[in-house]
Amino acid sequence: ALGHPFLVSLGAYSFEAYLFQWPLVWLFRLAFGEWPLSCEVFMMFALTLWLVSGLYVKLLAPPLVHRARAVVEALLDRGGSSHEPLYTGLGADPPESACSSSPLSPP
């Protein structure tokens, strides 16, 4: 029963619905001027919320994620094949550049 396609798609959009719920609540309160919403307006809100979440997941998120990954890879690559290790704290010495720009270091 939990593998039903409707329930699976509902779960696939749940995080996005969580993200978009308050902006849509604000818009619906502004547009309809009532709170709590009537049954008809609430159903329109719920359908709009899932529609916006679904459109975001299917159309907007993939190009954004692809572009963000390309930018991060370009920043990490910097044209060379060897990468400098990141400063991990705990026993490792930070690079000199990290120490020289510290606001706590003496001038």
Side-chain angles (χ1 to χ4, degrees):
L2 292 178
H4 190 275
F6 176 74
L7 294 177
V8 171
S9 67
L10 193 67
Y13 306 143
S14 62
F15 181 69
E16 287 75 12
Y18 170 75
L19 292 177
F20 291 126
Q21 70 179 340
W22 282 112
L24 280 177
V25 164
W26 179 79
L27 286 173
F28 270 72
R29 287 178 73 177
L30 187 66
F32 294 99
E34 60 181 80
W35 193 260
L37 301 173
S38 65
C39 284
E40 295 84 9
V41 175
F42 177 77
M43 289 303 296
M44 189 169 41
F45 167 79
L47 291 173
T48 304
L49 177 62
W50 287 104
L51 177 67
V52 167
S53 300
L55 289 174
Y56 176 81
V57 167
K58 295 294 183 182
L59 300 177
L60 200 58
L64 289 175
V65 168
H66 178 73
R67 180 68 180 144
R69 285 185 179 156
V71 167
V72 168
E73 287 175 4
L75 288 173
L76 290 177
D77 190 27
R78 292 185 220 140
S81 60
S82 64
H83 300 291
E84 292 181 19
L86 297 174
Y87 171 61
T88 60
L90 304 177
D93 291 329
E96 286 298 319
S97 62
C99 294
S100 63
S101 63
S102 172
L104 299 177
S105 63

